[in-house]
Amino acid sequence: MEWILAGLFALSALLLIISFVSSRKESKERQEEIDILHITNMNEINELRDMISNIEHDIEIIVNKAGIELPVQERHFLREVLDLYKRKYSIDSIARKTRMPENEIRQIIDTYIAPKSERRKVANEN
C-alpha cells in the first residue's frame, strides 16, 4: 500500500514537471509569434510614416511651385470642409458645423471637387 502511494506521488510529480516543460515551450512559441507580429506592425507603421512624409513634401513642393500661400487657419478650414463633404455630410450640415453660409460652402466644394461627368470627359480625352 505504501509503495502504491509513493508510486502515485512520483507519477504525479513527473506529470507536473512534464506539464511545466510543455507549457513553457508553448509560451515561448506564442511569444515568438507575438514578437514577429509586433515587428511586422512596426515596419508597416514606419512605411506609412515615410509615405505620409513623402506626401507632405510633395504637397509643399507643389504649393511652392504654384506660388499659393494660404494661412494655416484657412488651410485647416478648407481641409475640414472637404473632409466632411467626402464623408457624405450634407452641405447644410457642413454649413451649420462650420458656421458659414451654405453658398460659401457650396463654392468651396465646387472649386475643389470636380463633377464626375467632367472627370470622365478628361479621362476619355487622353
Side-chain angles (χ1 to χ4, degrees):
M1 179 85 156
E2 294 171 1
W3 288 101
I4 294 175
L5 285 177
L8 288 175
F9 183 73
L11 181 63
S12 67
L14 180 65
L15 290 174
L16 182 64
I17 292 170
I18 292 171
S19 172
F20 278 134
V21 170
S22 67
S23 68
R24 185 173 276 177
K25 187 185 286 186
E26 287 177 14
S27 71
K28 283 183 182 181
E29 289 173 0
R30 285 186 191 143
Q31 187 61 40
E32 287 175 3
E33 289 176 14
I34 290 171
D35 289 344
I36 290 171
L37 286 173
H38 178 72
I39 290 170
T40 304
N41 286 339
M42 290 305 295
N43 288 338
E44 289 178 5
I45 288 171
N46 287 334
E47 287 177 16
L48 288 172
R49 283 184 183 158
D50 290 343
M51 290 171 64
I52 289 170
S53 176
N54 288 339
I55 290 171
E56 287 174 347
H57 294 310
D58 289 346
I59 290 172
E60 222 174 287
I61 291 168
I62 290 169
V63 167
N64 286 335
K65 288 284 186 180
I68 301 170
E69 280 298 319
L70 288 177
V72 175
Q73 286 180 324
E74 187 176 348
R75 197 172 343 140
H76 288 297
F77 172 72
L78 290 173
R79 186 181 304 142
E80 179 185 7
V81 168
L82 294 173
D83 179 55
L84 291 171
Y85 181 76
K86 287 183 178 183
R87 288 193 283 153
K88 308 289 186 208
Y89 279 66
S90 68
I91 292 175
D92 178 48
S93 63
I94 296 171
R96 276 187 271 124
K97 185 172 178 110
T98 58
R99 297 185 183 130
M100 296 290 290
E102 282 185 43
N103 59 352
E104 286 185 34
I105 299 297
R106 195 170 279 115
Q107 286 175 348
I108 291 170
I109 291 171
D110 290 343
T111 303
Y112 288 97
I113 298 181
K116 290 183 180 180
S117 60
E118 289 181 19
R119 287 189 223 156
R120 286 190 195 123
K121 288 179 186 176
V122 172
N124 292 332
E125 289 176 3
N126 291 334

